[in-house]
Amino acid sequence: MANIELIQVEKKFGDFHAVKPMDLTIKDGEFVVLLGPSGCGKTTTLRMIAGLETVTSGEILLNGKNITHQPARERDIAFVFQFFALYPHMTARENIAFPLQAQRVPKDIIARRVKEVTKLLEIEYLLHLRPGALSSGDQQRVALARALVRKPQAFLMDEPLGALDAEFRETMRAEIKKLHIRENATTLYVTHDQIEAMAMGDKIVVMSAAVIQQVGTPAEVYHNPANTFVAKFIGSPGMNLLPGIVQSDKIILPNGDSYLIPQQWGPVFMNGWNGKKVYIGFRPEALIIDKQGCINATVYSEDMHGSHVMLNMGINDTQEIVHGRIERGVYYAINAPICFNIREDMVRFFDAETGNALKAEVKL
Amino acid sequence: MTKVIIKNVVKRFKGVTALNDISFDINDGEFFVLLGPTGAGKTTTLRIIAGLETLDSGDITFDGGSINHLSPAERDVAFVFQQYSLYPMLNVYDNLASPLRSPMRKVPEGEIERIVKGVAEKLHIGHLLDRKSSVLSGGEMQRVAIGRAIVRCPRLFLMDEPLSNLDAKLREELRVELKYIQKTQDSTTLFVTHDQIEAMTMADRVAVLNEGKILQIGTPEDIYDRPATTFVAQLVGTPQINLIPSVVEDGGIIIKRSNLKLSIPQLKDIPYNLILGIRPEDIHIKDNGRFRGEIDLLEPLGVETILHIRVGEVVLLSIEAGLAKRAIGETVQFDIKEDRINYFDMNGFRIG
């Protein structure tokens, strides 16, 4: 299969910097997700790898070979789009066989490959139908089969689930991941949906404003985000970020409350942090409602999520809303005062000036 | 504000029945959500209440008085659309003020200024008042559009997927704010969406609509815990509920193509063929659990992990808090909270 390497790859459209020089390695058999909001440069990156977009500077290597200026059709990389891009006048079988026919592969081999991939995707029963007669989920399965049939060196997928209904999306998400586990094909997958990225990726590349913000496993981007952008972008809702000012071993919040810095973080705050602005970061599940809690808040609203409840609270004298994930069946009145603590093992800190995470000296 | 009663409303478009005998009440001050897929009839219902569409039969009353004969303006409802409908040439202040300057209302300018500034502060757009609406971001525009609805005190707010065009993070933020504003103003609101999370998190009560028919009306808890049909069960909750065909045999409920056997619930008229509805959070992995399966797939979401557990040919979804330290292929034991199981007949209707 394939190993893809980007070395200082950048893309400009006139004066617009779509992708700033970036390095990225996708190892053989890895499922890497490029995640970011619209306009962050993730699709442009994908299209440069596919050869659908020229590279302004830098190099793209496929198995160590420079393919930066190779035409798309010679790259042996399959592309799956958000919109199914099937030929409407052809049956599902003809659609799937098409890439092999175009390469003049012998008929018996085509028949065998089509049989293999359609069995894998469990779509044998619909091969005689045209795309118009298929559900959106089945259309996307056919599109995937057409990409798989060539046995390409790598797959590039551009929001392949974006056009599906929520219920199909969940099913297809699991199917694509299972397919990857079985076939182990090198895959680069683009999405703006952090849930998809977390659920599917071996590695997540978070992009924003044409720059990679962090590369990490789902656990790393979730628990140890590199900066406030990643902290907010990953999770639903994202990480709570409370502004405060360091005052020796405490952080003073805008409402006057003081948060005692956990012991294991003490050394980090030793040198030069006194008087500086930081954010205290913590996930909604790290918030503990506690009458003796050190942070005072006001109940804003309570959201039912079925398996749990999200309690939204306002921090006095700020516009900050803090989210806490709580058990069902506990009710709080709007505007009621409330106190909470933060689980010490799940608290993180960010430099308010740069947005970058403070590095703990112990392993978290 | 207003109590709204929708009674036996029927609407046809060229022989196609868009609304098939729709009835529901919205209580004074209630946040009522119509939830359903595209084409369910949600927007048609909203447009009929607003007077933008006529009804073929049925009745709509506001505080007991029929409004069928009233023009849209006379109904005194405020509409927020999915597409922000702002005047691009006006600044935010004038966009917010314009509903109050209508000849029907004639609010004095001093009063307008007080109201507009109050609303702008509530929606965190106070700093944008001088900006032209055409230079705003999508999220800011939708805040202004919502502001235009809430500057006056209409009898009813109608909102047609107002958050659908926003990106996920903004949607989360505005969802929370909109609910707070609604609750603190006690304004009667009918909100239409296809997004189950919006419905569940914002509504006092939800009506689930499909193909022009109401399938269930209830609080979010009712809809989630006691879905009336398999359609409703699948529509709410993420990850989706497990729907598993089974049969009553040998004094138990047997799940076909697996070795799972559950006890028969104390319900009347249990048919031979059943569909079980089991929420993923009601399947718990435990060292000494009653059942045994193999991990088929792991989906780490951060706050929790979705586990796909294979038992024979059946795959059950379960969730575990945090990032589960498990491997594909691993054998696990698990329990099912049987008192939380939903039972449906083969037509998808709830039993008991």
Side-chain angles (χ1 to χ4, degrees), chain A residues 37 165-168 170-171 173-175 177-178 181 192 194-195 198-201 218-220 222-223 232-238 285 299-308 312 319 321 323 325 328 331 334-335, chain B residues 38 121-122 124 167-169 172 175-181 183-184 197 200-202 220-221 224-225 231 234-235 237-240 281 296-304 306 308 310 315 317 319 322-323 328 340:
Chain A
D165 296 340
E167 56 173 288
F168 265 136
E170 254 182 47
T171 317
R173 184 176 85 199
E175 277 184 35
K177 190 167 180 187
K178 279 186 193 172
I181 290 167
H192 67 276
Q194 59 92 20
I195 293 180
M198 290 289 288
M200 300 176 88
E220 284 163 357
Y222 189 78
H223 286 300
K232 275 281 175 203
F233 199 77
I234 301 280
S236 171
E285 63 271 26
V299 173
Y300 196 76
S301 64
E302 210 174 318
D303 297 345
M304 165 74 179
H305 284 261
S307 62
H308 64 275
N312 308 305
Q319 284 194 355
I321 298 288
H323 309 280
R325 190 176 159 115
R328 274 184 61 176
Y331 299 97
I334 285 190
N335 292 332
Chain B
T38 318
E121 191 177 326
K122 228 180 246 181
H124 310 306
D167 70 45
K169 292 289 149 191
E172 264 168 23
R175 202 168 72 202
V176 172
E177 286 176 28
L178 202 55
K179 178 172 170 177
Y180 180 79
I181 290 168
K183 278 283 147 279
T184 47
I197 294 181
M200 292 287 286
T201 57
M202 296 173 87
E221 286 83 356
Y224 188 82
D225 293 337
F231 179 88
Q234 264 185 308
L235 192 64
T238 168
Q240 273 178 51
E281 66 269 25
D296 204 35
L297 190 68
L298 293 161
E299 298 184 275
L301 303 185
V303 62
E304 61 197 13
I306 305 176
H308 297 236
R310 178 178 293 277
V315 175
L317 297 193
I319 50 177
L323 293 157
I328 291 175
R340 296 261 313 158

Side-chain angles (χ1 to χ4, degrees), chain A residues 69-249:
Chain A
H69 303 293
Q70 207 174 50
R73 62 178 185 283
E74 287 168 23
R75 292 191 185 194
D76 198 16
I77 291 172
F79 207 106
V80 183
F81 296 92
Q82 172 169 9
F83 298 102
F84 320 118
L86 298 174
Y87 297 107
H89 61 286
M90 290 185 189
T91 63
R93 182 194 301 280
E94 288 161 351
N95 264 291
I96 296 166
F98 187 78
L100 296 182
Q101 278 166 353
Q103 291 177 2
R104 299 182 195 282
V105 174
K107 271 198 180 131
D108 53 325
I109 295 178
I110 294 182
R112 203 184 67 220
R113 278 301 293 157
V114 170
K115 204 170 169 187
E116 278 171 16
V117 295
T118 54
K119 188 164 176 239
L120 192 66
L121 285 156
E122 294 172 20
I123 52 172
E124 296 114 309
Y125 65 96
L126 53 71
L127 290 179
H128 61 287
L129 297 172
R130 294 214 170 119
L134 301 176
S135 70
S136 53
D138 283 338
Q139 287 186 42
Q140 196 58 301
R141 288 189 183 94
V142 173
L144 278 174
R146 193 173 61 182
L148 276 171
V149 80
R150 284 169 48 194
K151 287 201 173 172
Q153 298 217 44
F155 285 102
L156 304 178
M157 303 196 188
D158 188 10
E159 309 234 6
L161 309 183
L164 303 182
D165 296 340
E167 56 173 288
F168 265 136
R169 213 153 48 218
E170 254 182 47
T171 317
M172 286 300 292
R173 184 176 85 199
E175 277 184 35
I176 291 179
K177 190 167 180 187
K178 279 186 193 172
L179 199 66
H180 175 258
I181 290 167
R182 220 167 325 165
E183 296 279 290
N184 223 24
T186 309
T187 306
L188 184 60
Y189 185 105
V190 159
T191 183
H192 67 276
D193 181 343
Q194 59 92 20
I195 293 180
E196 241 169 70
M198 290 289 288
M200 300 176 88
D202 295 322
K203 202 158 89 181
I204 299 173
V205 180
V206 185
M207 280 187 82
S208 167
V211 172
I212 292 180
Q213 305 291 324
Q214 185 171 5
V215 178
T217 62
E220 284 163 357
V221 296
Y222 189 78
H223 286 300
N224 292 311
N227 55 41
T228 51
F229 177 84
V230 178
K232 275 281 175 203
F233 199 77
I234 301 280
S236 171
M239 195 177 254
N240 294 304
L241 296 175
L242 276 181
I245 291 169
V246 181
Q247 218 166 77
S248 68
D249 60 344

Side-chain angles (χ1 to χ4, degrees), chain B residues 162-289:
Chain B
L163 310 182
S164 296
N165 276 352
L166 307 175
D167 70 45
K169 292 289 149 191
L170 267 174
R171 208 153 59 217
E172 264 168 23
E173 221 173 86
L174 260 178
R175 202 168 72 202
V176 172
E177 286 176 28
L178 202 55
K179 178 172 170 177
Y180 180 79
I181 290 168
Q182 195 276 337
K183 278 283 147 279
T184 47
Q185 292 200 333
D186 265 337
S187 46
T188 312
T189 303
L190 178 57
F191 185 103
V192 156
T193 183
H194 69 278
D195 179 343
Q196 62 98 11
I197 294 181
E198 277 176 20
M200 292 287 286
T201 57
M202 296 173 87
D204 292 316
R205 283 190 306 148
V206 180
V208 181
L209 200 64
N210 190 35
E211 293 176 338
K213 273 193 165 165
I214 288 182
L215 301 179
Q216 186 170 6
I217 299 175
T219 62
E221 286 83 356
D222 292 336
I223 305 271
Y224 188 82
D225 293 337
R226 298 181 54 79
T229 69
T230 49
F231 179 88
V232 177
Q234 264 185 308
L235 192 64
V236 296
T238 168
Q240 273 178 51
I241 194 167
N242 295 288
L243 290 177
I244 314 155
S246 59
V247 292
V248 178
E249 247 173 41
D250 298 334
I253 293 180
I254 307 231
I255 297 176
K256 297 172 190 169
R257 298 178 290 123
S258 80
N259 56 12
L260 293 173
K261 187 173 178 181
L262 301 164
S263 41
I264 300 174
Q266 300 292 315
L267 294 170
K268 262 195 250 169
D269 305 322
I270 291 278
Y272 174 74
N273 282 296
L274 286 176
I275 296 170
L276 306 182
I278 307 175
R279 295 271 175 212
E281 66 269 25
D282 296 326
I283 298 180
H284 294 269
I285 295 198
K286 254 169 113 179
D287 285 346
N288 54 353

Side-chain angles (χ1 to χ4, degrees), chain B residues 3-283:
Chain B
K3 175 168 173 87
V4 180
I5 298 176
I6 319 287
K7 214 171 158 191
N8 305 114
V9 167
V10 174
K11 174 70 184 177
R12 291 183 201 89
F13 292 108
K14 289 182 185 157
V16 178
T17 306
L19 297 178
N20 189 353
D21 196 14
I22 297 283
S23 298
F24 61 90
D25 300 355
I26 309 171
N27 294 318
D28 191 0
E30 192 172 31
F31 199 124
F32 194 94
V33 174
L34 270 180
L35 171 69
T38 318
K42 311 181 295 283
T43 299
T44 305
T45 308
L46 216 59
R47 290 175 59 84
I48 287 175
I49 298 170
L52 302 172
E53 205 79 72
T54 58
L55 42 75
D56 292 328
S57 66
D59 197 16
I60 299 173
T61 61
F62 283 4
D63 291 330
S66 177
I67 57 152
N68 294 352
H69 59 284
L70 296 181
S71 73
E74 289 166 333
R75 293 183 189 202
D76 192 19
V77 299
F79 213 123
V80 182
F81 298 93
Q82 183 175 349
Q83 293 296 346
Y84 348 107
S85 43
L86 303 179
Y87 297 110
M89 298 315 294
L90 297 185
N91 64 21
V92 170
Y93 182 95
D94 289 329
N95 263 291
L96 291 172
S98 67
L100 301 171
R101 288 177 181 148
S102 122
M104 280 177 70
R105 292 194 188 81
K106 292 186 191 135
V107 182
E109 278 299 323
E111 178 70 2
I112 288 179
E113 189 179 337
R114 193 185 59 79
I115 296 171
V116 166
K117 288 200 166 151
V119 164
E121 191 177 326
K122 228 180 246 181
L123 285 161
H124 310 306
I125 48 175
H127 59 296
L128 301 173
L129 288 173
D130 298 331
R131 225 55 83 76
K132 282 248 169 63
S133 65
S134 52
V135 302
L136 302 178
S137 71
E140 289 164 346
M141 280 200 234
Q142 196 58 304
R143 282 172 195 269
V144 179
I146 292 166
R148 273 172 56 86
I150 67 174
V151 282
R152 56 197 195 85
C153 298
R155 303 185 73 179
L156 174 66
F157 288 106
L158 299 173
M159 305 202 176
D160 192 3
E161 309 234 10
L163 310 182
S164 296
N165 276 352
L166 307 175
D167 70 45
K169 292 289 149 191
L170 267 174
R171 208 153 59 217
E172 264 168 23
E173 221 173 86
L174 260 178
R175 202 168 72 202
V176 172
E177 286 176 28
L178 202 55
K179 178 172 170 177
Y180 180 79
I181 290 168
Q182 195 276 337
K183 278 283 147 279
T184 47
Q185 292 200 333
D186 265 337
S187 46
T188 312
T189 303
L190 178 57
F191 185 103
V192 156
T193 183
H194 69 278
D195 179 343
Q196 62 98 11
I197 294 181
E198 277 176 20
M200 292 287 286
T201 57
M202 296 173 87
D204 292 316
R205 283 190 306 148
V206 180
V208 181
L209 200 64
N210 190 35
E211 293 176 338
K213 273 193 165 165
I214 288 182
L215 301 179
Q216 186 170 6
I217 299 175
T219 62
E221 286 83 356
D222 292 336
I223 305 271
Y224 188 82
D225 293 337
R226 298 181 54 79
T229 69
T230 49
F231 179 88
V232 177
Q234 264 185 308
L235 192 64
V236 296
T238 168
Q240 273 178 51
I241 194 167
N242 295 288
L243 290 177
I244 314 155
S246 59
V247 292
V248 178
E249 247 173 41
D250 298 334
I253 293 180
I254 307 231
I255 297 176
K256 297 172 190 169
R257 298 178 290 123
S258 80
N259 56 12
L260 293 173
K261 187 173 178 181
L262 301 164
S263 41
I264 300 174
Q266 300 292 315
L267 294 170
K268 262 195 250 169
D269 305 322
I270 291 278
Y272 174 74
N273 282 296
L274 286 176
I275 296 170
L276 306 182
I278 307 175
R279 295 271 175 212
E281 66 269 25
D282 296 326
I283 298 180

Side-chain angles (χ1 to χ4, degrees), chain B residues 286-349:
Chain B
K286 254 169 113 179
D287 285 346
N288 54 353
R290 273 179 64 199
F291 310 105
R292 189 182 288 271
E294 191 181 281
I295 303 273
D296 204 35
L297 190 68
L298 293 161
E299 298 184 275
L301 303 185
V303 62
E304 61 197 13
T305 303
I306 305 176
L307 308 164
H308 297 236
I309 307 172
R310 178 178 293 277
V311 186
E313 286 177 46
V314 173
V315 175
L316 298 171
L317 297 193
S318 155
I319 50 177
E320 246 185 339
L323 293 157
K325 289 193 174 59
R326 301 191 184 277
I328 291 175
E330 183 184 329
T331 301
V332 289
Q333 281 177 275
F334 61 93
D335 276 337
I336 297 174
K337 270 196 189 163
E338 296 199 42
D339 59 337
R340 296 261 313 158
I341 296 179
N342 297 280
Y343 302 91
F344 303 97
D345 65 23
M346 293 311 280
N347 295 318
F349 291 102

